Amino acid sequence: MREAFSRTVAVVVIGIILIAVVAGVIYYYTMQSGPTSTITTTQMTTATMPGKIKIAILFDVGGRGDLSFNDMAALGAERARRDLGVEIVYQTPRSLDDMVPLLESLSRSGEYQLLVLVGFLWTSPLNVTADKYPSQKYALIDATTGVYRPNEVDILFREQEVGAIVGILASGMAYSINSSTIGAVAGMSIPPLWKFHIGYLFGAKYFEKMTGKKINLIWQYTGTFVDPQKGYIAAMQELEQGARVLYGLAGLTHVGMFNAVIDWNRQGKGLAFGIGQDASQEWYAPQYIPLSGSKRVDVAVYTAIKMIVENRWTPGIITLGVAEEGVGIWDLDGVRYFAEIAYEEGKLPGGMNPDDIVRIVNETRTKYIPAYAKDLADNLMKMLKSGEIVFRTPRDENEYNSIISELLKGNLNAALEKGSIT
């Protein structure tokens, strides 16, 4: 397990189960509740030490303890504090109205070498502020303003890559239990989910092309990240249509997907599996959730801070994928780590301990992920790491739909910006 994982933060992360598109979740919630007029901030500040590089981490309105992006951001910041010797200050606005004044205040102070802005909600405040303070550097995480500025870097994730790897493995798992259909329970139709969709479908079609085994994919947007009942219903519909491996990309909504998979198995309707995303979620039901993809906000924050420390500032857009360990598949060490935290929190099912979780997950992976599928996934990862192939990122919904349409026809190269699959 990577040492970057501090126990304190992981306790929080584990409790959520699932964060597939957390920026969207927070955005959704915030827009539902609307901004308040109160301008307040919370702050945790480390002791000031002369000569140290000072970094401010600006969470979005969810703040610490959101069990998602903000806590993962803190994880990366604490790793930077420990490894790189920087001083870290945390700030949390309590409403949308707080965000511009807070950002203006910190920028005006000139006190921080870098302001790290966590999540989509900082996009507009950054556009309002960044040009007024050209000497202040900003790092926007998991979002982009779409504007190039010498003092701004936007760090995004290549969700297509983890989606593609999961798509291959899910297809192999489906065939191992005599099915040719996989599914996904997604949240809202927003750009990060478009990228997951493209990747997942690409992986399924890549599997189909390389093995000659037909794969059907059922993709369903629920329109929400916060409704497990809708996730349960969507998952049951997919299971009844023949899908036997379901990928959860809907935050709390796909907890319902997990529960549907569990019920399907326990009701004797046949074997089916769920796949998690972002945090390792196997511990929730290791017999039926043998796999989780990862999306590492902590790596993004650490990367931004390291640019300052090493004096190699690179403005513009940076994307993190498999090569940068920004996305991937949780290994058994990761599964164990999160299982240990769940155990301490009394959340493991059926009196299991972390050893049980790891053993069951390992046995399930070994039994139901065919070696040929794993080889295909490993080969794709090598091509991604080397840059032999690079996925396209759709500029709008029309381009997203166009790529999906071509993938459904078997045109894998429609999803690629560089390289080809022959």
Side-chain angles (χ1 to χ4, degrees):
M1 180 59 191
R2 299 175 180 85
E3 62 179 10
F5 284 95
S6 76
R7 179 162 299 266
T8 300
V9 173
V11 164
V12 181
V13 172
I14 199 74
I16 201 175
I17 286 204
L18 339 178
I19 329 166
V21 190
V22 177
V25 177
I26 296 169
Y27 176 68
Y28 176 80
Y29 262 129
T30 305
M31 297 310 291
Q32 292 296 309
S33 59
T36 70
S37 59
T38 304
I39 298 179
T40 53
T41 63
T42 57
Q43 180 174 355
M44 294 188 300
T45 308
T46 57
T48 300
M49 297 183 66
K52 274 197 170 186
I53 292 175
K54 293 186 68 175
I55 308 291
I57 309 295
L58 281 67
F59 301 122
D60 67 21
V61 292
R64 292 295 304 276
D66 70 339
L67 311 178
S68 58
F69 268 25
N70 290 319
D71 288 318
M72 291 296 284
L75 179 63
E78 288 303 311
R79 179 186 169 202
R81 180 185 61 77
R82 186 184 64 246
D83 294 353
L84 305 176
V86 298
E87 179 182 347
I88 300 292
V89 172
Y90 297 109
Q91 295 271 4
T92 304
R94 291 185 179 175
S95 73
L96 290 176
D97 286 350
D98 288 349
M99 300 181 86
V100 170
L102 175 59
L103 190 55
E104 290 259 14
S105 174
L106 294 175
S107 301
R108 192 181 307 114
S109 75
E111 189 176 353
Y112 303 95
Q113 281 85 342
L114 178 67
L115 302 180
V116 180
L117 312 176
V118 182
F120 172 86
L121 291 177
W122 283 107
T123 304
S124 294
L126 183 56
N127 273 330
V128 171
T129 307
D131 292 332
K132 299 178 184 177
Y133 303 95
S135 297
Q136 175 64 64
K137 291 184 172 63
Y138 304 90
L140 180 61
I141 307 299
D142 201 39
T144 179
T145 62
V147 179
Y148 174 84
R149 299 183 175 96
N151 59 337
E152 174 187 339
V153 62
D154 302 336
I155 302 183
L156 305 175
F157 296 90
R158 300 194 292 275
E159 289 92 347
Q160 304 99 312
E161 296 185 4
V162 61
I165 297 164
V166 170
I168 294 171
L169 298 176
S171 298
M173 289 166 60
Y175 264 92
S176 73
I177 54 176
N178 300 315
S179 173
S180 59
T181 303
I182 62 176
V185 174
M188 302 170 72
S189 178
I190 58 176
L193 268 291
W194 300 347
K195 291 192 286 183
F196 273 117
H197 189 184
I198 290 169
Y200 193 45
L201 182 56
F202 179 94
K205 292 299 179 183
Y206 182 81
F207 175 91
E208 186 175 288
K209 181 179 181 65
M210 297 301 169
T211 65
K213 299 176 184 292
K214 178 70 176 176
I215 284 289
N216 301 310
L217 189 153
I218 302 172
W219 179 275
Q220 186 169 346
Y221 285 112
T222 60
T224 175
F225 295 104
V226 295
D227 190 339
Q229 183 60 25
K230 284 192 175 179
Y232 186 95
I233 293 171
M236 274 298 177
Q237 290 173 343
E238 293 186 16
L239 289 165
E240 288 166 357
Q241 293 174 63
R244 291 294 178 268
V245 182
L246 305 183
Y247 191 13
L249 295 162
L252 290 174
T253 298
H254 85 240
V255 175
M257 183 202 80
F258 284 159
N259 292 336
V261 169
I262 293 169
D263 286 351
W264 183 271
N265 283 280
R266 291 179 178 171
Q267 291 168 7
K269 296 180 176 179
L271 191 55
F273 293 114
I275 297 176
Q277 177 57 43
D278 285 8
S280 167
Q281 297 152 9
E282 289 86 343
W283 62 267
Y284 189 71
Q287 304 97 319
Y288 311 123
I289 307 173
L291 206 65
S292 292
S294 66
K295 180 174 173 179
R296 303 286 299 275
V297 173
D298 57 318
V299 173
V301 171
Y302 186 86
T303 297
I305 296 173
K306 193 174 181 183
M307 288 170 61
I308 295 296
V309 173
E310 296 182 349
N311 194 28
R312 51 179 185 83
W313 178 253
T314 306
I317 294 177
I318 293 175
T319 63
L320 301 180
V322 170
E324 300 84 6
E325 298 186 345
V327 300
I329 301 294
W330 286 107
D331 61 18
L332 291 179
D333 288 338
V335 172
R336 175 180 295 281
Y337 188 81
F338 283 98
E340 288 174 347
I341 301 304
Y343 179 72
E344 293 173 2
E345 293 291 300
K347 295 180 182 296
L348 290 189
M352 294 182 187
N353 60 46
D355 288 340
D356 296 327
I357 301 296
V358 172
R359 175 180 52 78
I360 293 170
V361 168
N362 187 40
E363 289 174 353
T364 307
R365 289 184 181 184
T366 301
K367 185 173 182 179
Y368 294 107
I369 299 178
Y372 69 87
K374 186 175 183 306
D375 289 343
L376 286 176
D378 289 344
N379 185 57
L380 184 67
M381 289 181 71
K382 289 178 182 175
M383 289 192 285
L384 291 168
K385 285 183 177 179
S386 69
E388 180 180 344
I389 63 170
V390 176
F391 279 102
R392 286 171 62 187
T393 294
R395 290 163 296 185
D396 52 38
E397 191 165 7
N398 287 335
E399 186 173 359
Y400 156 61
N401 288 328
S402 174
I403 294 172
I404 293 298
S405 176
E406 288 298 311
L407 284 173
L408 288 171
K409 298 174 185 174
N411 180 9
L412 291 168
N413 295 328
L416 299 179
E417 175 183 311
K418 176 185 175 185
S420 63
I421 302 297
T422 57

